[in-house]
Amino acid sequence: MEKKIAVIRGDGIGPEIVGEAINVLNKVAEKFGHTFIYDETLMGGCAIDAYGDPFPQVSLDKCLNSDAVLLGAVGGPKWDGVPKEIRPERGLLRMRSSLGLYANIRPTKLFPQMKEACPLKPEISEKGVDFVVVRELVSGVYFGEHRSEQVNGQEKATDIMAYTEEEIRRIAHVAFRLAEKRRKKVCSVDKANVLATSRLWRRVVSEVAESYPNVELSHMYVDNCAMQIIRAPHQFDVIVTENLFGDILSDEASIIGGSIGLIPSASMGSGTLGVYEPIHGSAPDIAGTDTANPIGTILAAAELLRNSFDMLTEAKAIEDAVSRVLDDGCRCGDIMSEGMKQVGCREMGRLICEAI
C-alpha cells in the first residue's frame, strides 16, 4: 500500500517523539512492503510563530489531503500570553471540528513488564488489562447550553446534556467496528436508570448492535463501570460511552498502565481519517534533552495503522516490538525502576525499530 500521513510535530518534545514514531513507521514499511509519504505541517505554538494562527488553513488542507494525521504535542509557557482565541489549544479544538472527529479512542494496556508501576493489586493486574474506551467527543453536556440565572435571590446554574439519535449511532458504529478487530465485545456505559439521554443512548446502541451479530453487547451503569475498571479490568474489551462519562473513565483507566508516557490516543470521524497522538503534553522543560519517552507516540502510530489503514498485523508488530524492548529491561526516565537500563528517546526508538 501507499499511504500519505500528515505529520504535525508540534511543540516541546513533539518533534523528538514524532521523529522516533516515523522511524518505526519506516521500519514497518520496509518489512511489509508499504510506502508511507509524510507531509509535514504546523500546529500549536510553532504555527502561531509562523502564521499567527495555531491551525492555519494550509495545515487543515494538508490534513484533509492525507490518509491519517500523526501529532506530537502542542503548547507551552512561551505562548501563555497570546490572546485566548489563538492559544495553541484552540488549534486542537479547531482541528477536531474541521475534520469532523467525533470519536476519541484511548487504549488501556498494562504491559506485563510494567506491573510494578500499576496501582492495582497483583491478583487483579495479573489477569490482564487490555481494553479501549471509545468516547463521544463533540456532543453531550460539554457542548450543550450553559446558563446562570438568579432564582428567588439565589444564583442557579444549568448545563444541558443533549444527544441526537445520529450522534449516538455514529459513535456506536466506531465501537463495534473496533471490537470486530479485537475480542468482539462491546460494553455500552450509560446512566439509563436516571437520564433520558442515557435511555436514548441504550436504545440506539442496541439497534446498532443488530448490524454486528458477531460482537457481544453488554450494558453497564457508569458508576458500576468506574468500580469494575479497578475491580476487574480484564472483563473489558471495548467500552463506548458519552462525552462526560468517557472523559472521566478514560482518565481513570490511564493510570493503570503505569505512566502516561506509554498511552496513545486516536480521534476519528465517519471515514478512515484520524488524528493519532500520545495523551501527554509537550513537556517543554525536557525538550531537546533526549529524555522524553517516545513509546506513547510509537503506539499511536500502531493505532494509526490499525484504525486508518486496516493494517492489523503491522500494528501488532509495533506493539510486540515495544513489549520485547521492555522485556529486555530498557526504560526511559519516566518508567525507570531499580535493576533496569535507562535509555534516551532516540535509543528507545532505535531499539524498537531493531525489535521489529
Side-chain angles (χ1 to χ4, degrees), residues 76-152:
K78 176 183 176 181
W79 301 280
D80 284 348
V82 303
K84 64 180 182 179
E85 61 270 15
I86 62 166
R87 285 181 61 85
E89 296 78 10
R90 290 282 181 171
L92 280 172
L93 296 176
R94 197 186 311 160
M95 178 179 67
R96 291 169 183 167
S97 175
S98 300
L99 299 181
L101 306 177
Y102 55 79
N104 181 254
I105 302 170
R106 187 184 292 188
T108 293
K109 181 174 182 178
L110 176 61
F111 287 97
Q113 307 87 342
M114 297 300 301
K115 61 183 180 181
E116 292 184 0
C118 176
L120 301 181
K121 293 180 178 179
E123 56 265 33
I124 297 175
S125 62
E126 287 173 359
K127 293 181 180 179
V129 180
D130 185 3
F131 65 91
V132 178
V133 177
V134 178
R135 167 192 170 192
E136 201 288 321
L137 199 57
V138 295
S139 298
V141 70
Y142 290 170
F143 288 82
E145 179 186 351
H146 309 286
R147 67 175 183 268
S148 181
E149 57 188 325
Q150 291 292 321
V151 177
N152 297 326

Side-chain angles (χ1 to χ4, degrees), residues 26-38:
N26 288 337
K27 187 67 176 181
V28 167
E30 175 188 333
K31 181 178 177 64
F32 292 93
H34 302 305
T35 299
F36 298 141
I37 301 169
Y38 306 105

Side-chain angles (χ1 to χ4, degrees), residues 310-342:
D310 204 29
M311 296 181 181
L312 277 62
T313 302
E314 293 86 336
K316 189 173 187 303
I318 293 177
E319 293 162 349
D320 289 347
V322 170
S323 186
R324 283 194 289 273
V325 171
L326 293 176
D327 270 338
D328 291 339
C330 298
R331 302 285 190 272
C332 289
D334 63 316
I335 55 174
M336 184 61 186
S337 59
E338 186 176 351
M340 300 295 109
K341 176 186 176 182
Q342 186 165 340

